[in-house]
């Protein structure tokens, strides 16, 4: 006899009284209290309230170029199959067999025809529909046992998923606004030149917070060839030593705006990092030196520009995404960064370098040169994050104040606390 399956979500995670108190008493302008970075209970609530209820960035179209290509993405206890289906569309499916629950795909990436569970060989199509289940009664209704779908959207070649059955609806308007900035770079017509997974010895929020400020950027000698040291400062808050760099920045910004207008490219900042479920910031920013790429002198690192672009010097299209990503999209290549928690004090940072699909390694670009700045920067940040985790784990830690040029760290923490308060019923949706 066929039993009609009952779809039910796991029970909502109930925060402990201690966690509720921590969320309620967070003081704006100060770092978070230690348990936000160290507690197993807090990680569980981060996964259920933040990672499972918001749109998170997990991959690029270029990572699954052909029908059948797949990735498996782990988000806490969830495993999601990202697959290019037979119609060349991207689908996202829970990697959980509808028979007795076995994990179906067990490699991080690969290529498949149908999806075959290795336990009792239930066989699913690339759209998740159940095609075959051996030895079932005659009235067994296969249509009731397709793989459960995960919400997925590719925006100009960047893939976002949401594990919730009711994903935040503001994503559509965000996608509409970021698409015109990204589209000219045609990320769907790129290939992966390199991908590096770095496991950081720190909580995922320390990894994100570190990305959201450049107060520490004198620790990045390679990056400072292309990133202005004035990042995050308001003109009236500039230390005098940065005045010459700021004048250089203003000149480069004026040049960049001119070029964007000539090429009809949007460049203005949109900054909505808090006060909404899908928080983001996008803008085109000038780069130091020759202004084209992350090379020692700022000249391009790949001679084949992305898409149909003809202008190499377009600065960096920079996008920050709450809760888990940032992006640098240049004229000659793009770099994406995705952050996923592994444990309270362990985080996966996945960095992906994309070049034009026809660019040839060794001819159009040198792989080591292409990777150098962000590989070194990530390693330097890894050290900062490790030290921060060690410090916040000490009983002597007391949350300190953010400086004005760390305003995006405050925006990140405020967004995070807002979302926990909304998710746990402490306050209504704003
Ligand atoms: O991601 C950014 O925009 C910059 C680069 C380095 C630090 N961060 C603020
Ligand atoms: Fe997948 Fe049995 S658990 S076929």
């Amino acid at each position: 006899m066929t039993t009609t399956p009952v779809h039910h979500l796991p029970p909502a995670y109930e925060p402990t009284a201690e966690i509720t108190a921590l969320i309620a008493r967070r003081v704006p302008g100060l770092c978070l209290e230690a348990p936000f970075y160290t507690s197993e209970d807090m990680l569980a609530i981060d996964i259920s309230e933040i990672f499972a209820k918001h749109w998170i960035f997990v991959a690029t179209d270029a990572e699954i170029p052909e029908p059948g290509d797949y990735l498996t993405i782990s988000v806490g206890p969830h495993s999601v199959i990202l697959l290019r289906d037979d119609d060349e569309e991207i689908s996202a499916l829970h990697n959980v067999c509808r028979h007795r629950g076995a994990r179906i795909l067990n490699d991080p990436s690969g290529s498949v025809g149908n999806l075959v569970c290795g336990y009792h060989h239930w066989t699913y199509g690339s759209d998740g529909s159940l095609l075959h289940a051996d030895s079932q009664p005659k009235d067994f209704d296969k249509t009731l046992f397709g793989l459960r779908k995960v919400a997925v959207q590719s925006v100009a070649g960047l893939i976002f998923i949401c594990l919730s059955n009711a994903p935040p609806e503001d994503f559509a308007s965000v996608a509409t606004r970021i698409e015109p900035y990204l589209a000219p770079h045609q990320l769907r017509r790129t290939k992966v030149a390199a991908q590096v997974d770095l496991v950081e010895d720190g909580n995922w929020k320390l990894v994100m917070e570190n990305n959201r400020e450049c107060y520490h950027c004198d620790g990045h000698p390679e990056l400072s060839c292309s990133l202005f040291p004035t990042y995050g400062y308001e003109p009236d808050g500039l230390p005098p030593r940065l005045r010459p760099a700021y004048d250089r920045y203003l000149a480069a910004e004026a040049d960049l705006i001119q070029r964007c207008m000539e090429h009809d490219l949007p460049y203005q900042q949109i900054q909505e990092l808090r006060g909404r479920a899908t928080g983001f910031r996008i803008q085109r920013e000038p780069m130091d030196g020759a202004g084209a790429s992350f090379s020692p002198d700022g000249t391009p690192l790949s001679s084949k520009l992305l898409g149909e672009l003809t202008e190499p010097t377009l600065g960096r299209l920079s996008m920050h995404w709450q809760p888990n990503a940032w992006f640098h999209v240049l004229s000659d290549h793009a770099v994406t960064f995705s952050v996923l928690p592994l444990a309270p004090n362990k985080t996966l940072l996945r960095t992906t370098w994309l070049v034009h699909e026809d660019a040839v390694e060794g001819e159009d670009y040198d792989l080591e040169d292409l990777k150098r700045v962000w590989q070194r920067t990530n390693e330097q940040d890894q050290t900062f994050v490790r030290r921060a985790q060690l410090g916040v784990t000490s009983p002597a830690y007391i949350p300190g104040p953010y400086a004005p040029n760390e305003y995006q760290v405050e925006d990140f923490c405020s967004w995070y606390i807002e979302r926990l308060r909304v998710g746990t019923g402490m306050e209504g949706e704003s």
Side-chain angles (χ1 to χ4, degrees):
M1 192 194 86
T2 300
T3 318
T4 306
V6 181
H7 284 271
H8 59 91
L9 290 169
Y13 179 81
E14 282 297 327
T16 60
E18 190 203 353
I19 283 184
T20 305
L22 280 162
I23 297 168
R25 70 171 183 247
R26 194 263 161 161
V27 180
L30 292 185
C31 300
L32 301 177
E33 292 186 59
F36 281 105
Y37 303 114
T38 57
S39 134
E40 287 281 356
D41 284 344
M42 194 56 90
L43 182 70
I45 198 166
D46 281 359
I47 288 168
S48 65
E49 292 301 329
I50 301 293
F51 280 85
K53 285 194 181 169
H54 294 87
W55 287 95
I56 57 174
F57 169 72
V58 289
T60 56
D61 279 42
E63 289 164 70
I64 43 174
E66 302 295 333
D69 289 350
Y70 74 84
L71 302 171
T72 55
I73 308 288
S74 296
V75 184
H78 304 270
S79 174
V80 176
I81 300 170
L82 267 190
L83 178 84
R84 193 170 293 272
D85 67 21
D86 296 341
D87 298 327
E88 306 213 1
E89 297 297 321
I90 292 170
S91 61
L93 302 162
H94 284 282
N95 193 7
V96 180
C97 183
R98 290 296 307 283
H99 176 220
R100 281 167 53 199
R103 184 162 289 186
I104 299 167
L105 295 179
N106 291 280
D107 291 333
S109 63
S111 196
V112 284
N114 291 328
L115 302 168
V116 183
C117 178
Y119 202 174
H120 314 93
H121 309 295
W122 279 31
T123 300
Y124 304 88
S126 63
D127 62 352
S129 56
L130 180 61
L131 302 177
H132 178 75
D134 219 359
S135 309
Q136 294 294 339
K138 275 203 192 67
D139 63 351
F140 178 73
D141 184 354
K142 294 201 290 281
T143 64
L144 298 176
F145 296 99
L147 293 179
R148 295 183 64 192
K149 289 185 191 302
V150 173
V152 63
Q153 294 286 338
S154 162
V155 183
L158 305 176
I159 303 174
F160 299 85
I161 61 168
C162 182
L163 287 155
S164 167
N165 281 357
E169 288 174 5
D170 62 357
F171 182 86
S173 73
V174 173
T176 304
R177 287 190 294 155
I178 63 176
E179 213 265 346
Y181 286 77
L182 295 161
H185 299 263
Q186 296 193 26
L187 297 180
R188 294 200 173 107
R189 289 186 46 214
T190 59
K191 66 173 184 180
V192 177
Q195 185 166 74
V196 175
D197 282 352
L198 198 66
V199 175
E200 306 235 15
D201 295 318
N203 186 270
W204 70 274
K205 296 187 287 296
L206 291 177
V207 177
M208 293 306 302
E209 291 172 31
N210 175 77
N211 164 258
R212 297 293 152 92
E213 49 92 359
C214 238
Y215 200 12
H216 72 275
C217 280
D218 58 358
H220 295 313
E222 296 84 0
L223 180 64
S224 61
C225 299
S226 45
L227 206 84
F228 284 96
T230 52
Y231 187 96
Y233 285 98
E234 290 296 334
D236 55 3
L238 267 183
R241 69 184 161 81
L242 294 183
R243 195 72 234 180
Y246 193 68
D247 291 341
R248 212 166 63 239
Y249 168 83
L250 289 178
E253 187 186 44
D255 278 357
L256 177 63
I257 291 174
Q258 187 63 36
R259 268 192 294 275
C260 289
M261 290 186 347
E262 273 163 30
H263 293 270
D264 208 14
L265 298 169
Y267 58 87
Q268 295 91 340
Q269 183 185 82
I270 310 177
Q271 180 157 268
E272 297 178 12
L273 288 164
R274 55 204 268 195
R276 58 182 303 146
T278 306
F280 74 106
R281 167 190 187 267
I282 193 163
Q283 72 181 119
R284 214 173 268 281
E285 294 175 72
M287 295 169 86
D288 211 347
S293 199
F294 292 119
S295 56
D297 61 359
T299 55
L301 285 164
S302 175
S303 57
K304 234 177 206 98
L305 301 184
L306 299 182
E308 310 294 325
L309 294 173
T310 52
E311 170 56 65
T313 310
L314 293 176
R316 67 190 173 101
L317 174 57
S318 155
M319 183 163 77
H320 288 183
W321 190 267
Q322 318 285 40
N324 82 320
W326 63 95
F327 308 83
H328 299 290
V329 182
L330 315 184
S331 192
D332 66 334
H333 75 287
V335 199
T336 69
F337 303 80
S338 155
V339 169
L340 293 170
L342 301 174
N345 61 353
K346 291 259 180 276
T347 301
L348 175 68
L349 171 64
R350 173 167 290 179
T351 307
T352 307
W353 286 261
L354 302 172
V355 292
H356 191 287
E357 62 187 355
D358 298 331
V360 178
E361 187 189 337
E363 279 179 33
D364 297 303
Y365 66 97
D366 178 277
L367 188 56
E368 288 315 307
D369 289 345
L370 183 78
K371 281 163 56 184
R372 182 167 297 109
V373 162
W374 280 103
Q375 181 128 18
R376 294 289 301 126
T377 302
N378 285 346
E379 287 161 5
Q380 291 147 1
D381 283 334
Q382 185 182 36
T383 302
F384 292 131
V385 167
R386 185 186 301 122
R387 290 177 187 169
Q389 183 73 28
L390 288 171
V392 300
T393 306
S394 161
Y397 168 66
I398 301 171
Y402 297 129
N405 63 350
E406 293 176 293
Y407 76 96
Q408 285 191 64
V409 186
E410 171 56 24
D411 283 344
F412 171 77
C413 291
S414 299
W415 177 88
Y416 166 76
I417 294 288
E418 271 166 31
R419 300 319 301 169
L420 292 185
R421 287 181 181 160
V422 168
T424 57
M426 282 185 215
E427 70 190 39
E429 189 76 59
S430 52

